[in-house]
Amino acid sequence: QVQLVESGGGLVQAGGSLRLSCVASPSTFNPSDMGWYRQAPGKRRELVALITRGGGINYADSVKGRFTISRDNAKNTVYLQMNSLNSEDTAVYYCNARIWALDYWGQGTQVTVSS
């Protein structure tokens, strides 16, 4: 059974940084795309950043220049380095993995930015 386990969320002051990690298992699971989505209270879940197995990357406009997504295919892990955080980044962040048009989700990790 596929599992995605996120870590690295927490409370940070505005202007600070956090790094999220997501490990996919089992090791034989080889998703084409991995990424991060977020959902703030009262809002729809939105794409934050996506990275393909080959290294192609997409970012939401709101995080360009501040967030960096990376991926270690050998470890089946995707990372999200978040810098210059602001209150609008407060949300539950979900790891996503996609293979053969099937989406898998982590349980979510809370990121709270205090002003």
Side-chain angles (χ1 to χ4, degrees):
Q1 184 175 355
V2 173
Q3 282 192 320
L4 303 177
V5 179
E6 301 122 333
S7 61
L11 175 65
V12 64
Q13 288 188 334
S17 299
L18 284 174
R19 188 190 194 210
L20 306 183
S21 300
C22 172
V23 181
S25 62
S27 60
T28 53
F29 179 58
N30 190 18
S32 54
D33 300 340
M34 297 189 77
W36 293 92
Y37 288 70
R38 66 187 181 187
Q39 187 167 19
K43 295 188 177 180
R44 298 176 61 181
R45 190 174 297 189
E46 63 176 1
L47 173 68
V48 176
L50 180 75
I51 185 168
T52 69
R53 189 185 298 136
I57 292 175
N58 284 324
Y59 291 106
D61 287 342
S62 60
V63 307
K64 285 180 180 177
R66 301 188 298 121
F67 290 11
T68 302
I69 190 170
S70 59
R71 177 173 176 173
D72 186 334
N73 291 329
K75 296 181 179 179
N76 248 3
T77 301
V78 64
Y79 306 95
L80 186 68
Q81 177 65 43
M82 304 185 293
N83 298 329
S84 301
L85 287 160
N86 59 59
S87 58
E88 294 185 351
D89 297 316
T90 295
V92 178
Y93 284 70
Y94 295 92
C95 177
N96 170 269
R98 181 173 298 163
I99 185 168
W100 302 114
L102 293 176
D103 281 307
Y104 298 88
W105 296 93
Q107 79 284 358
T109 185
Q110 177 70 46
V111 171
T112 302
V113 184
S114 63
S115 56

